[in-house]
Structure formats: structure tokens, C-alpha cells
């Protein structure tokens, strides 16, 4: 995991170096001048690799300032500021959980929204904090034990678990690791690093639409819905939705990598809303890869979360079931004999006569009592 992240984050780490040095010098100058005597404003460079040992405020700040400025639009006429994703890689979930402590819920909320780049709002009184509403662009990769994993996913219905791709490690109890460490070759690592630098080329930018892949994944999702319906499987129906989106994204990434050397030559097009994009056509390999990822994601999520999700849903259903509220008048009705007079009740029930008459009148108006003029008594009506 460390080797992989080092390889594919190489260009981002290089780009972050200048920003981190800028902040280091500012902090050093602040110490030299003393608190309250610093006249230069705090720098806001684009730093995209964020360690887990960072406050929520820092994570949000890094997210807000992760901007590439004056990017040429695909229309060739204008420029725009493009927000980039920040990245967090943590090999131990336990470290992540210890760092979050009281901010655990806020951390999960940001991660849930980052799945589809939804907006997060920040409005703190602290003058050093950002105050803005912006899209959450954040990729988080972590590893750890199943014990730590379940601490992170303690609430299986909060939307967070099904937004993850889970890769279970093979069961290696009582086994030794292979001698020599990782089997990943230098050539493989170099290939990943080379592709990572290619994908950060300024020419590899802009929106893309891979319509044939989108159609295929829609069919995949539709087929999963039919299977879930035939088996009356609520969990499978829930799991398929985001698994299809994860598969689609994987297929788009595959398509871009396939076309990375000719991507800049693809002629941009615009839609009815005058939004510009590059049209890509997914290859058979890209489509097969997207479906494989969706199948894998759905299968693992189902295997891991189906049972706890059902248990939690049944628990919520029991606790949240609507209970009919029994009024004081209804309780009074249950205590009444089948036939009675007000005089009889007044001797057996400790209640003011006027209150007794009022309740009898209400029950009669509600259709629960009728008055029999022949015997001069009230009779309960059973429905």
C-alpha cells in the first residue's frame, strides 16, 4: 500500500513541496517576530496530500485552496479555476480513529459528501478559519484490521460504508509472508509513476463523457435491480446503486488511461447547456473492467454489510414503529362496563360529576357509546 501510494502520488507530492516550504517559512517568521506582530498574511498554497494527523479545519482548508488557477476552457476562449481533489492515505485505521476522537461524525460526514463532490459549508468564528461553501473533493485510502474497520463503520446505515471500495486481504493465519518482501517489481512501480505523471499533464483536463460505458453500466444496474426484486432482496437493491457508480468511474479512468497519449487531440464538443466536454468511446476492455469492479464492489459490500444492515434496519423498524397514542378518554372507555348509567358510574369512579358527564358525552359523539332510552342507560359500541 505504501509503495503504491508513493508511486501514484509522486507528481502531487512534488507539486506540494513548494507550498509546504512556503508555509514552513511563514511559521518560522511568525516565531521570530512573535505573536501579534506578524504583518504578512498566512499563505494559502495548493497542498493536496493531507496526512491523518490533521484537524478537520486543516482538512477543509486544504480542500478549499486545492485550486489550479487560470485553466484554459475547452471552448478555447476563457479560463477557469479548477478545484482539485486532496488525498489522504493511512495504513492504520486505528491511527485515523484516535486522531478524530470527537470529530469522528464530522469526518464521516465530509467523506460521505465527497463521494459525489457534494457541498460542505464552513462558518467558524475563528478568524484563521475559512468561511465558505464549496464542493468536497477528497479521496481517502486506508488499511487496517477488521477490528479497526468495524470501529470506523460502527453505523452501517449512515451511508458511509457503501461509498467505500473494500479489498479484503486473504486469510493468512498461521502462514509466513514470502521471503524478500513485496513481489511488485521495479518495472511495475515505474510504470505506475510514469502514468501518474502523464495524467497530471495540463493537456489532460476537462470534462469527459463516455456514453457507451454509461449505457452499459445502466444495463448492469437494471439487471441487478431485477435480480434483487426476484429474490425480494432489499440489501442487494441498496448495494447495486453505488457499486454501479464506482464501476462507471473505474471504467472512465480506464478509458482515459487507454487514450492518455491522444487525449489532447480529441475534439471537444458542447451540449445544450453550452457545457464543453471531450467524447470518449469505451473499449471492450474498459467496459469489462467497469463491470468487474462493480461486481466485485457489490459482492464484497453485500458479504460484509448485508447481515449487520438487516439487523440494524429491523431494530430501527421496531423502535421507530408508529404506536397508536392512547388518549385519556380512550383509557376511560376501556374501564367502562358494557351497560351503565351515570349515577352508577358516579358511585364507582372517583371523578367529579361534571367531568364524568363531559367524557361520556365525548364518547357518545365519537360513536363509541349509544343511549338506550328504554333502559335509560348507555351501551358500549364494539367495532
Amino acid at each position: 500500500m505504501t509503495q503504491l501510494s508513493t508511486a501514484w502520488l509522486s507528481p502531487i507530492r512534488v507539486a506540494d513541496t513548494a507550498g509546504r516550504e512556503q508555509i514552513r517559512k511563514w511559521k518560522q517568521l511568525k516565531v521570530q517576530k512573535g505573536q501579534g506582530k506578524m504583518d504578512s498574511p498566512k499563505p494559502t498554497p495548493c497542498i493536496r496530500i493531507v496526512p491523518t494527523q490533521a484537524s478537520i479545519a486543516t482538512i477543509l482548508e486544504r480542500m478549499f485552496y486545492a485550486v489550479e488557477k487560470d485553466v484554459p476552457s475547452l471552448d478555447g476562449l476563457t479560463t477557469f479555476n479548477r478545484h482539485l481533489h486532496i488525498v489522504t492515505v493511512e495504513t492504520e485505521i486505528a491511527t485515523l480513529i484516535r486522531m478524530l476522537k470527537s470529530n469522528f461524525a464530522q469526518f464521516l460526514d465530509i467523506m460521505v459528501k465527497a463521494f459525489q463532490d457534494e457541498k460542505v459549508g464552513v462558518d467558524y468564528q475563528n478568524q484563521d478559519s475559512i468561511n465558505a461553501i464549496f464542493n468536497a473533493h477528497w479521496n481517502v485510502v486506508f488499511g487496517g484490521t477488521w477490528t479497526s474497520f468495524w470501529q470506523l463503520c460502527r453505523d452501517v446505515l449512515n451511508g458511509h460504508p457503501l461509498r467505500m471500495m473494500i479489498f479484503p486481504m486473504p486469510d493468512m493465519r498461521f502462514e509466513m509472508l514470502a521471503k524478500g518482501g513485496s513481489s511488485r517489481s521495479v518495472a511495475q512501480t515505474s510504470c505506475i509513476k510514469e502514468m501518474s505523471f502523464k495524467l497530471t499533464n495540463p493537456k489532460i483536463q476537462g470534462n469527459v463523457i463516455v456514453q457507451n460505458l454509461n449505457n452499459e453500466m445502466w444495463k448492469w444496474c437494471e439487471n441487478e435491480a431485477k435480480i434483487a426484486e426476484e429474490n425480494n432482496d432489499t440489501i442487494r437493491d441498496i448495494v447495486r446503486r453505488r457499486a454501479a457508480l464506482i464501476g462507471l468511474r473505474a471504467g472512465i479512468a480506464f478509458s482515459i488511461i487507454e487514450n492518455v497519449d491522444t487525449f489532447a487531440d480529441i475534439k471537444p464538443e458542447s451540449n445544450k447547456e453550452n457545457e464543453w466536454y471531450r467524447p470518449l468511446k469505451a473499449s471492450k476492455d474498459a467496459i469489462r473492467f467497469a463491470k468487474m469492479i462493480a461486481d466485485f464492489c457489490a459482492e464484497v459490500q453485500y458479504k460484509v454489510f448485508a447481515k449487520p444492515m438487516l439487523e440494524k434496519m429491523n431494530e430501527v423498524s421496531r423502535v421507530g414503529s408508529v404506536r397508536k397514542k392512547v388518549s385519556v378518554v380512550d383509557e376511560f372507555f376501556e374501564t367502562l362496563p358494557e351497560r351503565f348509567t351515570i349515577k352508577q358510574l358516579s358511585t364507582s369512579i372517583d371523578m367529579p360529576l361534571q367531568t364524568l358527564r363531559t367524557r361520556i358525552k365525548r364518547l357518545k359523539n365519537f360513536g363509541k357509546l349509544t343511549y338506550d332510552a328504554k333502559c335509560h342507560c348507555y351501551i358500549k359500541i364494539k367495532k
Side-chain angles (χ1 to χ4, degrees), residues 212-271:
N212 67 323
L213 177 62
N214 188 64
N215 295 340
E216 289 293 330
M217 294 312 298
W218 192 92
K219 292 176 185 176
W220 181 92
C221 196
E222 182 185 37
N223 184 60
E224 287 293 307
K226 290 178 180 177
I227 296 173
E229 184 180 18
E230 290 170 0
N231 294 280
N232 193 28
D233 194 335
T234 303
I235 302 301
R236 183 163 187 168
D237 181 53
I238 295 172
V239 163
R240 69 176 173 94
R241 302 168 192 174
R242 294 192 181 97
L245 182 54
I246 292 172
L248 175 65
R249 291 172 174 176
I252 292 173
F254 192 104
S255 297
I256 293 173
I257 289 172
E258 275 190 317
N259 295 277
V260 67
D261 293 323
T262 58
F263 187 85
D265 299 327
I266 300 173
K267 186 178 179 180
E269 298 179 2
S270 62
N271 56 23

Side-chain angles (χ1 to χ4, degrees), residues 65-78:
Y65 291 116
V67 177
E68 185 178 2
K69 297 181 179 180
D70 300 324
V71 178
S73 299
L74 292 181
D75 60 9
L77 302 174
T78 58

Side-chain angles (χ1 to χ4, degrees), residues 360-376:
I360 296 298
K361 184 178 180 180
R362 285 182 182 176
L363 289 171
K364 186 173 181 296
N365 292 338
F366 292 158
K368 293 188 175 185
L369 293 177
T370 184
Y371 185 74
D372 189 340
K374 292 183 179 180
C375 64
H376 304 288

Side-chain angles (χ1 to χ4, degrees), residues 126-312:
N126 188 336
Q127 63 177 4
D128 294 328
S129 299
I130 58 171
N131 291 276
I133 298 173
F134 53 94
N135 295 87
H137 299 289
W138 192 17
N139 291 323
V140 183
V141 183
F142 46 74
T145 64
W146 280 110
T147 301
S148 298
F149 174 83
W150 283 114
Q151 285 183 298
L152 187 69
C153 302
R154 60 189 72 170
D155 184 356
V156 293
L157 298 184
N158 69 358
H160 166 247
L162 299 188
R163 287 172 166 83
M164 295 188 297
M165 280 195 72
I166 306 167
F167 298 90
M169 296 291 290
D171 189 350
M172 296 186 66
R173 288 176 295 176
F174 318 119
E175 294 184 24
M176 295 292 291
L177 293 173
K179 290 183 178 180
S182 174
S183 60
R184 190 173 296 106
S185 68
V186 175
Q188 288 174 319
T189 303
S190 298
C191 180
I192 294 170
K193 186 182 289 187
E194 180 185 354
M195 182 55 66
S196 184
F197 273 97
K198 281 186 176 182
L199 292 172
T200 54
N201 187 316
K203 294 181 179 180
I204 311 297
Q205 64 91 11
N207 296 327
V208 297
I209 291 182
V210 193
Q211 191 58 52
N212 67 323
L213 177 62
N214 188 64
N215 295 340
E216 289 293 330
M217 294 312 298
W218 192 92
K219 292 176 185 176
W220 181 92
C221 196
E222 182 185 37
N223 184 60
E224 287 293 307
K226 290 178 180 177
I227 296 173
E229 184 180 18
E230 290 170 0
N231 294 280
N232 193 28
D233 194 335
T234 303
I235 302 301
R236 183 163 187 168
D237 181 53
I238 295 172
V239 163
R240 69 176 173 94
R241 302 168 192 174
R242 294 192 181 97
L245 182 54
I246 292 172
L248 175 65
R249 291 172 174 176
I252 292 173
F254 192 104
S255 297
I256 293 173
I257 289 172
E258 275 190 317
N259 295 277
V260 67
D261 293 323
T262 58
F263 187 85
D265 299 327
I266 300 173
K267 186 178 179 180
E269 298 179 2
S270 62
N271 56 23
K272 294 179 180 178
E273 288 75 30
N274 201 32
E275 296 172 332
W276 287 81
Y277 62 91
R278 281 192 170 96
L280 282 177
K281 184 176 181 180
S283 65
K284 291 181 180 179
D285 289 338
I287 293 172
R288 188 162 60 247
F289 179 74
K291 290 182 178 179
M292 181 193 73
I293 292 296
D295 285 331
F296 174 81
C297 189
E299 181 182 346
V300 175
Q301 286 184 352
Y302 190 93
K303 183 179 179 180
V304 174
F305 295 118
K307 184 178 178 181
M309 281 181 69
L310 277 174
E311 291 174 351
K312 189 69 175 179

Side-chain angles (χ1 to χ4, degrees), residues 16 21 158 254 316:
D16 282 357
E21 179 64 16
N158 69 358
F254 192 104
V316 171

